[in-house]
Amino acid sequence: MLKSARTKESQNDFKGVIDDCSKAISLKADFDSAYCLRGVAYLKTGDLKSASDDLNKAIKLNSKYADAYYARGIVKASKQDFISAAKDFSRAIELDPANPKFLYNRALAEAYMSDYSDAVQDLDKAIQLKPDYIEAYYSRAYWQDISGSYYEAIKDYQKVTELNPKYVEAYIGMATVKYMNSEKQSACADLKKAIELGSIKAEELSNLFCK
């Protein structure tokens, strides 16, 4: 039953996941994995209350269920409760310290609380675990910029474009940092690349920065 639910999850058939997990739970009331998977499906459909209820149940049944803490953290972050979300991500990290997405999402929660230093440290660890983690490089670049570490930000934006040469937002971010640090020619070259990729925003910035 759960195998069918996981297949449906991969197909974004979340109603099907909910139905399959509900059947599994009716047969085995303490099926922690079914509660967790159904909770994630509820989250994907926007039903945060049902998601929270199921994930609380999964954790009650299995207090060492890292994925359930992680998913509950996502639910709490969706409710803008970043303090509680960070606590759940921290518990997930304690249980599974080698999972880079746990670190990445705790970094997001920390950044929303303006704790950029801890956010960057978590992203450092996430990147160590997954050296091609594009989202982590991009987020770290953004927060490095906010923190005043301009050259580190540029380096991370460059890494993003190496990993994905079509990542428009990285070119724009890199151009903005360079322009604010008196590197106009290089900034305009980055904006040109973004324009070639079809970015209207880059074209607007180019008209502002490069004329």
Side-chain angles (χ1 to χ4, degrees):
M1 192 78 69
L2 213 59
K3 183 177 180 181
S4 171
R6 293 192 188 283
T7 298
K8 290 175 181 177
E9 182 186 36
S10 70
Q11 299 168 344
N12 294 325
D13 177 10
F14 301 116
K15 184 181 182 303
V17 173
I18 291 167
D19 289 343
D20 282 352
C21 289
S22 296
K23 291 174 185 175
I25 290 167
S26 70
L27 297 171
K28 188 175 186 291
D30 61 348
F31 202 163
D32 56 346
S33 296
Y35 279 108
C36 184
L37 188 56
R38 189 174 70 176
V40 171
Y42 279 128
L43 170 62
K44 296 290 188 180
T45 64
D47 186 348
L48 299 184
K49 184 182 183 306
S50 295
S52 183
D53 289 344
D54 270 358
L55 294 166
N56 286 338
K57 182 68 173 181
I59 289 168
K60 184 177 180 179
L61 290 167
N62 181 358
S63 63
K64 295 184 178 181
Y65 200 160
D67 284 334
Y69 284 104
Y70 166 73
R72 192 173 70 175
I74 297 293
V75 172
K76 290 177 178 178
S78 298
K79 297 177 178 180
Q80 309 293 303
D81 184 1
F82 299 113
I83 293 175
S84 295
K87 289 179 180 177
D88 272 347
F89 295 139
S90 293
R91 180 59 176 151
I93 292 165
E94 289 173 10
L95 295 166
D96 185 3
N99 193 316
K101 74 177 180 180
F102 295 171
L103 288 157
Y104 175 74
N105 280 276
R106 186 171 71 176
L108 294 182
E110 290 163 342
Y112 274 113
M113 296 185 288
S114 299
D115 188 356
Y116 301 118
S117 177
D118 283 348
V120 168
Q121 288 181 32
D122 274 345
L123 292 172
D124 290 344
K125 294 174 185 175
I127 289 167
Q128 287 174 5
L129 292 167
K130 186 179 178 182
D132 62 348
Y133 204 159
I134 291 179
E135 294 84 357
Y137 282 109
Y138 181 81
S139 295
R140 189 172 70 175
Y142 181 76
W143 296 324
Q144 295 273 31
D145 180 20
I146 290 176
S147 301
S149 300
Y150 305 120
Y151 295 106
E152 288 82 356
I154 291 170
K155 183 178 178 181
D156 276 345
Y157 281 131
Q158 287 173 334
K159 182 65 176 180
V160 172
T161 61
E162 290 172 12
L163 292 168
N164 180 1
K166 295 184 178 180
Y167 204 123
V168 170
E169 292 83 359
Y171 289 110
I172 293 173
M174 185 160 52
T176 303
V177 175
K178 289 177 178 178
Y179 184 82
M180 297 303 293
N181 287 275
S182 302
E183 297 182 29
K184 179 178 176 180
Q185 185 175 354
S186 183
C188 292
D190 290 332
L191 289 174
K192 183 179 179 181
K193 292 177 183 176
I195 292 168
E196 290 170 354
L197 292 169
S199 172
I200 295 173
K201 181 180 179 180
E203 189 171 352
E204 292 172 348
L205 288 173
S206 180
N207 291 332
L208 181 65
F209 292 170
C210 306
K211 297 299 183 183

